């Protein structure tokens, strides 16, 4: 009898992707044949996202897509796991009985056991890498203790739980042995790393020790929290050349009334001071942030303050979204979502138009500079790479004109010739670094 084939469809953030990769390793070890997302398979496992309305809608659409394929005989079984099924464990099975099984965010052994009629071994970090041969995500903690008014993540993932430093370093060492050079460190709240295990903020120590592992070329940090930020981290970033001058820190807003309503535990003045210190202690750093418009309490005055803040700070990387009330959150229970949707969308559009102009101006400042890039892929007219300032999937890329053969996963020095808001165009420099 031929072995069953299975594919895992991973939706949402990079933290979800790490979970999917670990599940894939368990499925493979149990004897199932893994297939790519665009390939047919007997069994489909959908790892869902349940963070905001758009993500939930995408997850539901994907479930409906595969249950339709099941009805047409193209798929034998459809299983659903992840944030959405964790959060709506009672409601979803009633609404979508076509799904063969529902599992929570961390129920991988139960799912694998059902598919293979076995008790799968659970390891702390073994996984099937889907990100390519040279970069990987390192998830250092689960959950969050912040309980911001708008966020359902703590309701889904629970309290903040750090992984031990030695376990993480062992994982990094193992990935270096497999050829990984670039490590994107991720968590819901990097700033709190270590508080539960070590009773102190241990992120600076973790990054410092990671940077000393031979073969680690780039370390990039995602999702720091501004309140109680671990300031010692900035010294580590400045000291190690392989710690990218890059920080992803979601600020959400700058107006004190809005920050208070959001329960962010930081003021606008403290936010500005933090950003000033980050840029002073790590010269040339690129800051990625996320902002929100339309949260209760954001009148026109507060929105104009947010626009002014973005103009003054000139963030190198910025995303934004309009507030969407999430049931059972503090905001949903205690605040009135009274800003019309068209006003939210208008503000979001205005904010992103401003950021696009700023992004282009900052990109144009790179023309003539020499930058170190890693090559991700080859396309018809260009090689496509990234600098230390560019995280996979979310940040600008560098389009490198063809003229010589470049290798995927290798580093090259390029000279920037043109700039677009979200891309640079460059050529390889003929110097000793590229020979």
């Amino acid at each position: 009898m031929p072995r069953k084939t299975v594919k895992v469809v991973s939706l949402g953030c990079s933290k979800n992707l790490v979970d999917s990769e670990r599940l894939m390793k368990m499925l493979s070890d149990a004897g199932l044949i893994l297939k790519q997302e665009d390939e047919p398979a007997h069994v489909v496992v959908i790892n869902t996202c349940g963070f905001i309305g758009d993500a939930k809608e995408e997850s539901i659409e994907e479930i409906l897509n595969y249950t339709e394929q099941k009805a047409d005989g193209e798929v034998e079984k459809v299983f659903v796991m992840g944030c959405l099924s964790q959060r709506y464990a009672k409601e979803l099975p009633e609404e979508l009985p076509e799904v063969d099984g529902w599992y929570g965010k961390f129920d991988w052994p139960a799912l694998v056991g059902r598919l293979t009629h076995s008790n799968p071994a659970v390891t702390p970090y073994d996984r099937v890498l889907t990100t390519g041969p040279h970069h990987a995500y390192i998830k250092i903690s689960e959950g969050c203790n912040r309980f911001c008014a708008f966020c359902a993540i703590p309701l889904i993932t629970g309290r903040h739980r750090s992984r031990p430093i030695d376990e993480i370093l062992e994982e990094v060492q193992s990935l270096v042995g497999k050829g990984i050079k670039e490590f994107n460190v991720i968590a819901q709240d990097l700033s709190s790393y270590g508080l539960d295990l070590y009773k102190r903020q241990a992120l600076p120590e973790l990054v410092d020790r990671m940077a000393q592992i031979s073969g680690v070329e780039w370390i990039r940090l995602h999702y720091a929290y501004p309140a109680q930020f671990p300031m010692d981290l900035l010294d580590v970033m400045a000291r190690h050349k392989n710690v990218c001058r890059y920080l992803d820190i979601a600020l959400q807003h700058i107006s004190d009334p809005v920050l208070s309503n959001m329960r962010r535990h930081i003021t606008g003045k403290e936010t500005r001071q933090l950003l000033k210190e980050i840029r002073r202690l790590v010269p040339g750093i690129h800051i990625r942030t996320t902002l929100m418009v339309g949260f209760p309490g954001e009148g026109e005055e507060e929105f104009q303050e947010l626009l002014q803040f973005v103009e003054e700070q000139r963030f190198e990387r910025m995303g934004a979204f309009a507030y969407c009330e999430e049931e059972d959150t503090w905001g949903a229970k205690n605040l009135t979502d009274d800003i019309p949707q068209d006003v939210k969308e208008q503000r979001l559009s205005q904010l992103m138009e401003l950021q696009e102009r700023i992004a282009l101006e900052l990109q144009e400042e790179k023309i003539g500079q020499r930058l170190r890039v890693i090559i991700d892929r080859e396309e018809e007219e260009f090689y496509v790479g990234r600098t230390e300032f560019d995280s996979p999937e979310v940040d600008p890329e560098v389009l490198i004109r063809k003229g010589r053969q470049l290798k995927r996963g290798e580093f090259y020095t390029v000279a920037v010739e043109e700039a677009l808001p979200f891309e640079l165009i460059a050529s390889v420099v003929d110097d000793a670094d590229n020979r």
Side-chain angles (χ1 to χ4, degrees):
M1 178 181 292
R3 288 192 291 162
K4 289 281 187 181
T5 58
V6 59
K7 64 179 175 181
V8 179
V9 178
S10 192
L11 305 175
C13 66
S14 53
K15 298 184 291 294
N16 239 26
L17 180 62
V18 172
D19 294 343
S20 295
E21 291 177 338
R22 289 188 62 195
L23 172 66
M24 291 167 69
K25 175 66 170 148
M26 293 173 67
L27 292 168
S28 177
D29 287 349
L32 289 126
I33 300 173
L34 298 177
K35 292 292 186 177
Q36 302 291 326
E37 286 192 24
D38 58 353
E39 295 178 321
H42 297 108
V43 177
V44 176
V45 179
I46 306 169
N47 190 4
T48 58
C49 178
F51 178 44
I52 58 175
D54 289 346
K56 289 189 283 189
E57 184 176 335
E58 180 188 16
S59 294
I60 294 296
E61 288 177 355
E62 201 72 6
I63 294 168
L64 293 174
N65 171 44
Y66 281 106
T67 54
E68 287 175 7
Q69 290 188 31
K70 177 187 170 185
D72 293 338
E74 300 173 28
V75 172
E76 292 180 9
K77 300 282 185 181
V78 176
F79 297 94
V80 178
M81 60 174 287
C83 293
L84 190 74
S85 54
Q86 177 85 20
R87 190 174 183 196
Y88 302 104
K90 294 181 180 179
E91 298 90 339
L92 285 171
E94 297 175 1
E95 296 180 12
L96 294 165
E98 306 94 330
V99 173
D100 294 282
W102 299 88
Y103 295 85
K105 185 168 174 58
F106 307 111
D107 291 346
W108 316 326
L111 173 57
V112 177
R114 177 168 174 181
L115 288 174
T116 63
H117 307 291
S118 65
N119 294 315
V122 180
T123 56
Y125 57 79
D126 281 347
R127 51 189 162 123
V128 173
L129 291 176
T130 61
T131 50
H134 54 277
H135 69 89
Y137 295 101
I138 300 291
K139 182 159 62 168
I140 66 171
S141 66
E142 289 284 2
C144 183
N145 291 351
R146 303 286 186 168
F147 290 95
C148 298
F150 53 84
C151 185
I153 292 298
L155 305 177
I156 299 170
T157 62
R159 292 277 183 170
H160 182 266
R161 305 177 303 284
S162 303
R163 293 176 57 198
I165 288 177
D166 288 343
E167 179 184 289
I168 297 169
L169 296 178
E170 187 177 315
E171 178 182 12
V172 171
Q173 190 72 65
S174 171
L175 290 170
V176 167
K178 297 176 182 177
I180 300 300
K181 303 173 182 179
E182 174 187 354
F183 296 85
N184 292 287
V185 178
I186 56 174
Q188 189 63 36
D189 174 13
L190 286 180
S191 299
S192 294
Y193 175 75
L195 287 175
D196 53 330
L197 283 182
Y198 308 112
K199 311 308 176 189
R200 59 184 171 82
Q201 291 175 303
L203 185 64
E205 177 188 344
L206 172 64
V207 176
D208 183 52
R209 292 177 64 182
M210 277 185 63
Q212 296 177 58
I213 295 176
S214 178
V216 173
E217 296 279 353
W218 276 352
I219 300 169
R220 195 178 290 107
L221 304 174
H222 285 274
Y223 320 124
Y225 196 93
Q228 296 89 45
F229 181 84
M231 298 301 292
D232 290 348
L233 176 66
L234 302 176
D235 175 64
V236 174
M237 297 180 73
R239 193 155 28 90
H240 290 290
K241 288 186 177 180
N242 59 349
V243 180
C244 297
R245 292 171 294 163
Y246 179 104
L247 182 65
D248 191 330
I249 179 168
L251 299 174
Q252 305 301 352
H253 218 279
I254 194 61
S255 165
D256 284 343
V258 179
L259 288 170
S260 178
N261 280 357
M262 288 179 168
R263 306 179 84 207
R264 294 289 286 174
H265 310 294
I266 194 170
T267 66
K269 181 179 179 180
E270 291 167 341
T271 299
R272 285 185 166 91
Q273 184 60 35
L274 173 62
L275 293 171
K276 183 178 179 181
E277 283 297 286
I278 291 172
R279 293 198 184 278
R280 183 180 72 84
L281 294 172
V282 189
I285 192 171
H286 281 42
I287 295 176
R288 163 169 277 283
T289 196
T290 305
L291 301 174
M292 183 190 300
V293 299
F295 193 79
E298 184 193 66
E300 187 60 31
E301 180 180 345
E302 288 76 19
F303 176 63
Q304 290 300 321
E305 185 179 354
L306 181 63
L307 289 176
Q308 181 182 349
F309 174 64
V310 171
E311 184 76 72
E312 90 188 22
Q313 291 294 328
R314 296 176 63 80
F315 294 108
E316 289 82 5
R317 314 280 183 252
M318 193 197 86
F321 60 99
Y323 173 63
C324 176
E325 185 176 272
E326 289 293 317
E327 62 266 35
D328 298 325
T329 59
W330 192 92
K333 292 178 179 179
N334 296 278
L335 300 172
T336 301
D337 183 14
D338 55 1
I339 299 176
Q341 186 62 31
D342 62 335
V343 174
K344 293 179 183 178
E345 293 174 1
Q346 180 183 11
R347 289 177 181 175
L348 179 61
S349 177
Q350 190 175 350
L351 182 64
M352 291 311 299
E353 285 176 8
L354 170 61
Q355 177 59 23
E356 184 168 347
R357 172 179 64 78
I358 292 170
L360 177 58
E361 291 170 357
L362 294 173
Q363 290 280 82
E364 288 175 337
E365 291 176 7
K366 292 185 170 71
I367 294 175
Q369 292 184 17
R370 293 189 175 195
L371 300 174
R372 187 176 186 234
V373 300
I374 194 166
I375 303 300
D376 282 334
R377 64 187 184 276
E378 180 181 0
E379 297 186 348
E380 187 174 344
E381 296 184 22
F382 299 96
Y383 289 100
V384 181
R386 290 175 293 105
T387 73
E388 66 175 298
F389 311 120
D390 307 313
S391 194
E393 306 296 333
V394 297
D395 287 328
E397 295 178 318
V398 183
L399 307 182
I400 303 156
R401 301 183 195 277
K402 290 188 173 180
R404 52 172 291 187
Q405 188 73 29
L406 305 183
K407 295 181 180 180
R408 186 183 182 195
E410 295 295 328
F411 290 93
Y412 298 90
T413 300
V414 301
V416 179
E417 299 171 345
E418 299 178 43
L420 301 170
F422 307 112
E423 288 177 329
L424 295 175
I425 300 175
S427 294
V428 173
V429 174
D430 185 19
D431 63 12
D433 289 341
N434 294 327
R435 291 174 192 159

